[in-house]
């Protein structure tokens, strides 16, 4: 099964991606939200791994990579998305030919036209009970 993974750089997104990779699922791409607007009006852009790795022992040897780091380790493309409703974003997702979407803690609602791209639909993992504790900061309401 070919999967497009939507998530954030945190532990709640890392675990589902890690398990998909351990199950030898074909993860076509990892898509993360843009942290800020960038120049040029691009709705979606690829993130390239850093050219040189510099080991800084700030986190220690037990630090785990984020979903972006996991993707780069496996050679999976990573995209940063600014506008989910744009035609460019939809076409880029369609070009990946995913059978399904896996969504884990992605902070924005996916529009219907993106959800219609994969033939098997999407699967959502959420860190709180829905619908009572929904939104971009659901754990705040739980705690």
């Amino acid at each position: 099964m070919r999967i497009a993974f939507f998530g954030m750089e945190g532990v709640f997104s890392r675990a589902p991606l890690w398990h998909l990779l351990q199950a030898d699922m074909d993860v076509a791409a990892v898509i993360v939200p843009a942290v800020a607007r960038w120049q040029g009006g691009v709705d979606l852009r690829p993130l390239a791994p850093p050219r040189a790795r510099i080991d800084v022992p700030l986190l220690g040897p037990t630090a785990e990579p984020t979903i972006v780091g996991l993707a780069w380790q496996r050679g999976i493309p990573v995209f940063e998305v600014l506008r989910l409703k744009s035609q460019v974003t939809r076409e880029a997702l369609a070009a990946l030919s995913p059978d399904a979407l896996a969504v884990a803690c992605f902070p924005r609602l996916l529009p219907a036209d993106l959800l219609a791209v994969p033939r098997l639909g999407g699967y959502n993992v959420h860190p709180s009970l829905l619908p009572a504790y929904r939104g971009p900061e659901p754990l705040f309401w739980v705690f």
Side-chain angles (χ1 to χ4, degrees):
M1 181 181 306
R2 191 163 170 80
I3 297 172
F5 187 87
F6 286 77
M8 291 178 53
E9 293 194 57
V11 288
F12 290 112
S13 288
R14 186 190 186 285
L17 177 60
W18 186 85
H19 284 284
L20 288 171
L21 295 172
Q22 292 303 307
D24 289 326
M25 291 290 165
D26 180 12
V27 178
V30 169
I31 299 126
V32 295
V35 292
R37 293 197 174 271
W38 50 74
Q39 300 295 327
V42 179
D43 296 327
L44 180 86
R45 68 177 180 178
L47 291 179
R51 292 182 186 210
R53 183 172 172 205
I54 301 171
D55 289 324
V56 180
L58 296 176
L59 298 176
T62 59
E64 296 177 334
T66 66
I67 62 171
V68 171
L70 280 175
W72 285 340
Q73 287 174 356
R74 302 280 182 116
I76 298 168
V78 177
F79 295 95
E80 187 177 39
V81 64
L82 182 63
R83 289 187 55 229
L84 291 167
K85 292 183 179 181
S86 80
Q87 186 65 24
V88 171
T89 301
R90 187 187 186 293
E91 289 170 1
L93 182 62
L96 295 170
S97 301
D99 295 311
L101 302 180
V103 183
C105 301
F106 194 75
R108 295 165 42 206
L109 291 175
L110 300 182
D113 64 328
L114 281 188
L115 294 173
V117 170
R119 66 183 180 88
L120 298 176
Y123 304 93
N124 183 29
V125 178
H126 202 274
S128 67
L129 294 174
L130 293 175
Y133 302 111
R134 63 182 186 263
E137 302 291 338
L139 294 180
F140 172 80
W141 301 110
V142 171
F143 294 136

